[in-house]
Amino acid sequence: MTMTLIDWSARISAMTDALSVPDGGFSVDPSDGSDVRTGYAVAVHPEHEHIFDGHVTSNDLHEYIARAKGALTLPGRVLGGWCDPDSGRVYLDVSVVTADLSEAMTLARETAQVAIFDFSVMASVPVAVAA
C-alpha cells in the first residue's frame, strides 16, 4: 500500500506524539508506514542515530527521514524512535527487526546500543553484557 502525502503527515504527527511519553516510541516500515508488531528492534546504523535532549517535533522527524533516506531504503530497515524513560532523551534511528533475542542482543552490542525493543511485551530491554 502506498501512502499519500496527507497520510504521511498524519503518520508523522502520530509518531511525534508517541515520543512525548517515557518509553514511548515506534518502529515503522518506511515503505508503507505500517507499524512493526513482532520481534526485536535493534538500531544498526549508529551513523544515523540522532539524539534529542527533549521534545521532538514533526519537522524534526521530517528532517531526520530526509537525512537517513539512503539507509531507510535498504532491505529490512525500519524507522525507529524511542523516548528513554530514565534520561528523557529521544532517539531516532534506522533499525532492523529480528525474531531472535540472541541475534538482537549481538547486533545491539556490536553497535553499542543501550536497549532493544521487544514487541511481545511492548517494552525496551536493556542490552545484556556479553558473558
Side-chain angles (χ1 to χ4, degrees):
M1 176 180 124
T2 304
M3 292 180 65
T4 67
L5 184 58
I6 291 170
D7 292 337
W8 269 111
S9 291
R11 188 71 179 106
I12 287 174
S13 179
M15 290 187 288
T16 302
D17 290 345
L19 295 172
S20 67
V21 296
D23 214 23
F26 55 81
S27 291
V28 172
D29 183 334
S31 67
D32 64 8
S34 64
D35 288 319
V36 177
R37 300 195 184 277
T38 61
Y40 303 94
V42 185
V44 293
H45 289 275
E47 71 277 14
H48 288 294
E49 182 176 83
H50 190 87
I51 303 169
F52 293 83
D53 283 325
H55 181 72
V56 172
T57 67
S58 291
N59 191 51
D60 293 330
L61 279 177
H62 281 287
E63 290 175 3
Y64 176 80
I65 292 167
R67 284 192 311 271
K69 183 178 178 181
L72 287 168
T73 59
L74 294 171
R77 299 311 193 264
V78 299
L79 170 62
W82 174 57
C83 180
D84 180 352
D86 295 328
S87 69
R89 289 186 173 142
V90 172
Y91 294 78
L92 298 180
D93 55 52
V94 177
S95 300
V96 295
V97 177
T98 178
D100 183 83
L101 176 59
S102 178
E103 179 184 11
M105 286 294 177
T106 297
L107 288 169
R109 283 190 295 274
E110 289 173 355
T111 55
Q113 297 303 305
V114 173
I116 63 172
F117 190 80
D118 180 349
F119 289 99
S120 69
V121 294
M122 295 303 289
S124 300
V125 178
V127 173
V129 177

